[in-house]
Amino acid sequence: MTGIDRKRIEAAVAEILAAIGEDLSRPGLASTPSRVADAYEEFFSGLGEDPAALLGEGVPLEGHDAETVLLRDIAFRSICEHHLLPFVGVAHVAYMPNERVVGLGRIPRVVETLASRPQLQERLTEEIADTLQDGLDAKGVLVVLDAQHTCVTARGVRQTDSTTVTVASRGELADPVAKAGLLALIGRGDA
């Protein structure tokens, strides 16, 4: 990743701590600016990365048809761009292969890369769907994200049990019947 300026992050964190009235020389805070810079480097590691490149070439189907590929419960974490607070959840991703399939480990990498940016869950859902639709030339894509936002659970309205669900569909999986069938599979937790 390019663009992380650790010294500026450390200075900004020190300023925030001073602004809330903390003593920066207190032993518990001595390394906090550096630790936050470490965390931000990890949280935002997806900036500047091309998620479509993670899909690779794939494997030709060679005369076989794969109706739908569904990966459930892909854990992810991201940082909400409105409050710079984390949101964590699971992604369920389905695609209908056209002429090739992709290694199953590549889809979680796409999710992780796109989530490792300042994000909105709604946009993240759409970006995952677009990356898979375009990168795989898929007949259809369905992405469902179910996440808990600390800007909702830990501050403001403090709804500790609430989650947010977003859905994006493309191609043949935008059809209401096809989408409903996959949503049922996701919700049941069994095939």
Side-chain angles (χ1 to χ4, degrees):
M1 176 184 148
T2 60
I4 283 284
D5 185 337
R6 293 185 55 85
K7 293 298 180 199
R8 285 181 70 189
I9 294 171
E10 291 176 21
V13 170
E15 180 60 29
I16 289 170
L17 291 171
I20 64 171
E22 267 293 353
D23 176 5
L24 294 173
S25 65
R26 186 164 64 80
L29 294 176
S31 296
T32 297
S34 177
R35 286 192 298 266
V36 171
D38 289 343
Y40 275 26
E41 193 167 30
E42 182 180 333
F43 291 155
F44 303 123
S45 63
L47 287 167
E49 281 196 51
D50 178 7
L54 298 171
L55 292 172
E57 292 298 314
V59 178
L61 286 173
E62 299 177 6
H64 297 90
D65 278 337
E67 194 169 312
T68 303
V69 177
L70 169 62
L71 279 79
R72 292 185 296 214
D73 299 321
I74 301 168
F76 75 91
R77 60 93 183 103
S78 192
I79 301 293
C80 174
E81 66 185 38
H82 289 162
H83 299 99
L84 292 181
L85 291 172
F87 62 99
V88 296
V90 293
H92 311 287
V93 177
Y95 76 99
M96 293 178 68
N98 191 3
E99 295 179 3
R100 62 188 175 101
V101 293
V102 67
L104 296 178
R106 294 182 180 268
I107 293 174
R109 286 187 187 110
V110 168
V111 172
E112 177 62 25
T113 297
L114 289 167
S116 295
R117 303 169 177 192
Q119 273 293 9
L120 298 174
Q121 182 175 334
E122 299 87 342
R123 183 175 63 234
L124 176 58
T125 310
E126 297 293 329
E127 288 178 349
I128 294 167
D130 289 341
T131 299
L132 295 175
Q133 181 69 34
D134 297 341
L136 297 175
D137 188 31
K139 293 178 187 175
V141 170
L142 176 69
V143 176
V144 179
L145 300 186
D146 186 353
Q148 193 169 50
H149 293 250
T150 55
C151 58
V152 174
T153 63
R155 62 162 300 280
V157 296
R158 291 186 226 150
Q159 295 298 306
T160 58
D161 294 327
S162 72
T163 64
T164 301
V165 176
T166 51
V167 178
S169 56
R170 305 285 184 272
E172 292 181 30
L173 293 181
D175 173 73
V177 174
K179 186 188 306 185
L182 283 170
L183 290 172
L185 280 175
I186 291 167
R188 278 203 321 254
D190 59 20

